[in-house]
Amino acid sequence: MLPLTGGLPSVMGVLDDHGGWLYDLLTKAGVDPSTAQSVNNLVVRPFAILVVAIVGVLAAKLGSKAIRRILQGIADKAAARSGSPRAGARLSTMSALSANVWRFFVFVIAVAIILGIVGINLAPLLASATIIGATVGFGAQLIVRDYFSGFLLTVEDQFGIGDSVTIGMVTGVVEDQTLRVTRIRDDDGTVYFVANGDIRVLANTSRGWAHAVVDLTLPGSSANDLPRARGVIEEAARRVAASEAFAGLITEPTSLVTFIDSTDTTLTLRVTLHTVPSKRNAITRALREEAVVALSGAALWPADAGSPDPPSVPAPA
């Protein structure tokens, strides 16, 4: 028989190339070989098939439970890290998919072993399947990598639809995510399709918390008025934080205005508000506008305040 046919009997000790231990026992007891073979086929082979079926069912169930347990641990870590409530739903979807793949794999192996037990020659089929599988696998290795990477990205919940992300040179909002590709739309409306297997470095700006950061460049002459400039900017930041539009979105007190850079003619101050990721851009715009208006009112803006006045245009005669 085939090596596959003899592989299971060598382990189970019920079948071999001559019919198995029951066949040998019956022939040694004087039973006709054809009768011994018939008894062997009616008793031992069905018993071996039953054993394979039972082992397959157990392997499928235990493997499914193990997969769900492993994915549960991964999902718990991802949920704790990202604070995303979607981890549970993702776990249910991916664990069901993984369990089905495992069950199908066990089913194929069990059927192959049973066919070998009943004496069907699988050598031509296995040889053809090996050649075809190797050819397809070599040609589709990038696709397999994309699907595997997409599976891990989904299970770990690294990003989701609606998140603002940066992948390589692409920055935008995730519009769609499949196991093979992720679709991203940037600020000007351009749509990018990124293969999941090509994602190596990912920045997600939509998780947890965010900072609305505004850098303000003032004329160098303001160095003498630096304490006053700090106070003006801080008051502007407090007004934004206390405004009706953003009052519930500032999660921490206003950070102190910090001095970050200077040149011969300018100096740069930075003010930061701690907020939620979804409102960072809106708060940044409001904070910049409020700070510029306040600095202008205090005669500390713009940065070219010290430049000479433009030449006057003579009035018409």
Side-chain angles (χ1 to χ4, degrees), residues 2 4-5 49 110-122 125:
L2 296 171
L4 180 60
T5 305
I49 293 174
V111 169
I113 294 176
I114 290 174
L115 292 178
I117 291 175
V118 299
I120 297 178
N121 189 352
L122 299 177
L125 178 61

Side-chain angles (χ1 to χ4, degrees), residues 40 73 80 120 166 190 198 244:
N40 180 79
I120 297 178
T166 298
T190 304
D198 293 333
E244 183 178 353

Side-chain angles (χ1 to χ4, degrees), residues 49 54 89 106 289:
I49 293 174
I54 293 175
V106 173
E289 179 180 353

Side-chain angles (χ1 to χ4, degrees), residues 89-113:
R90 289 175 179 270
L91 170 66
S92 299
T93 301
M94 301 312 298
S95 61
L97 175 62
S98 302
N100 289 334
V101 171
W102 170 254
R103 292 190 190 100
F104 177 77
F105 174 77
V106 173
F107 172 78
V108 171
I109 297 299
V111 169
I113 294 176

Side-chain angles (χ1 to χ4, degrees), residues 123-307:
L125 178 61
L126 292 177
S128 301
T130 301
I131 295 174
I132 295 174
T135 303
V136 174
F138 180 78
Q141 54 182 328
L142 292 181
I143 296 178
V144 174
R145 186 188 67 174
D146 292 340
Y147 276 97
F148 185 72
S149 299
F151 174 82
L152 294 179
L153 288 171
T154 302
V155 171
E156 296 176 357
D157 196 27
Q158 296 185 17
F159 62 88
I161 296 175
D163 287 356
S164 297
V165 299
T166 298
I167 301 175
M169 302 297 294
V170 178
T171 299
V173 177
V174 178
E175 287 193 333
D176 190 24
Q177 179 187 11
T178 66
L179 288 179
R180 194 184 71 84
V181 69
T182 297
R183 188 176 74 217
I184 300 174
R185 186 181 297 273
D186 68 5
D187 292 337
D188 64 6
T190 304
V191 177
Y192 296 90
F193 294 88
V194 181
N196 293 328
D198 293 333
I199 298 177
R200 292 292 178 267
V201 178
L202 166 69
N204 191 333
T205 58
S206 299
R207 298 291 177 85
W209 52 269
H211 279 154
V213 180
V214 174
D215 291 341
L216 299 163
T217 301
L218 307 178
S221 59
S222 299
N224 296 328
D225 298 322
L226 185 57
R228 187 164 68 95
R230 288 177 184 270
V232 170
I233 297 173
E234 288 180 3
E235 286 298 325
R238 292 191 181 96
R239 286 195 296 271
V240 172
S243 64
E244 183 178 353
F246 305 118
L249 303 175
I250 307 301
T251 56
E252 291 184 4
T254 305
S255 300
L256 293 177
V257 177
T258 56
F259 178 80
I260 63 172
D261 193 18
S262 65
T263 65
D264 294 341
T265 58
T266 63
L267 56 88
T268 303
L269 300 178
R270 171 174 294 175
V271 61
T272 303
L273 289 179
H274 196 91
T275 183
V276 295
S278 60
K279 296 297 182 181
R280 176 179 54 187
N281 293 335
I283 292 177
T284 299
R285 290 190 294 267
L287 179 59
R288 180 179 291 110
E289 179 180 353
E290 186 68 25
V292 169
V293 170
L295 289 170
S296 298
L300 297 172
W301 186 271
D304 59 350
S307 60

